[in-house]
Amino acid sequence: MGIRLEESANFPTLYAIYSAVFGQLAEADLVQHMHKDGDLILSVIAFADEPAGHIAYSRLTLHETPSIKAAVLAPLAVAPSFQKQGIGATLVRNSLRRLAEKNYDLVLVLGEPDYYGRFGFTPRLAERLKTPYDGPYLQAVALSDKGKEAHGSVSYAQAFVELE
């Protein structure tokens, strides 16, 4: 299996993956919208003989701690024929490493705590943030010591606002 940066030429592939996983195109539309708006900061695709999965990250603005460089993980999908093979975990680990190398301090995700907890995400860190998605499924991981200082209100990319 290979991992590489996604390019806009891959949008038909992304639409196929997200349609197969979620039975809709809202997640693929979200990625394309973030790309068009310039808010997509990292988009990584896994492939074997065919595209196997995708993960995307967008900008997150921290209003009380603006010097902290933050991102939102969403969406993540693995094509049904490739699920339960560790591809999602590989995408998460690979992309978090890439963000750390780009000096990101914090990543926020809305997802299953048992799944994301194994990558260091915790609701405890996210509780210090005020988001439209507050609750037990909102989690954060600090990629640096600076990320542990995050607190206060946040703003997601415009594409998320338009989902509501």
Side-chain angles (χ1 to χ4, degrees):
M1 180 185 65
I3 303 283
R4 64 176 170 79
L5 293 176
E6 176 271 325
E7 300 168 0
S8 59
N10 296 115
F11 278 124
T13 298
L14 298 187
Y15 274 88
I17 291 171
Y18 285 107
S19 177
V21 172
F22 297 109
Q24 62 181 11
L25 298 177
E27 290 80 3
D29 287 341
L30 176 68
V31 174
Q32 190 168 30
H33 192 173
M34 291 185 302
H35 178 73
K36 285 180 184 175
D37 290 350
D39 290 325
L40 188 64
I41 57 173
L42 183 62
S43 182
V44 179
I45 194 162
F47 59 93
D49 292 333
E50 61 186 272
H54 177 258
I55 191 168
Y57 293 83
S58 60
R59 297 183 197 290
L60 181 71
T61 302
L62 298 157
H63 299 288
E64 280 75 21
T65 49
S67 66
I68 293 175
K69 198 171 176 184
V72 174
L73 185 169
L76 166 64
V78 176
S81 61
F82 291 98
Q83 292 179 359
K84 308 286 187 208
Q85 298 176 30
I87 293 170
T90 298
L91 283 167
V92 172
R93 285 187 184 102
N94 177 282
S95 56
L96 288 176
R97 179 186 51 76
R98 289 174 188 250
L99 287 173
E101 289 170 357
K102 291 182 172 190
N103 298 314
Y104 276 82
D105 301 303
L106 181 79
V107 175
L108 206 57
V109 69
L110 185 65
E112 178 56 49
D114 288 339
Y115 182 79
Y116 289 102
R118 59 189 167 145
F119 308 110
F121 285 90
T122 174
R124 204 169 324 110
L125 183 55
E127 287 171 355
R128 300 177 59 201
L129 302 171
K130 177 66 181 143
T131 81
Y133 308 105
D134 290 350
Y137 292 97
L138 184 70
Q139 302 158 78
V141 64
L143 301 179
S144 71
D145 286 340
K146 195 174 177 182
K148 295 174 187 174
E149 300 170 10
H151 65 277
S153 61
V154 306
S155 294
Y156 283 70
Q158 184 63 30
F160 284 97
V161 174
E162 294 176 7
L163 284 176
E164 299 173 358

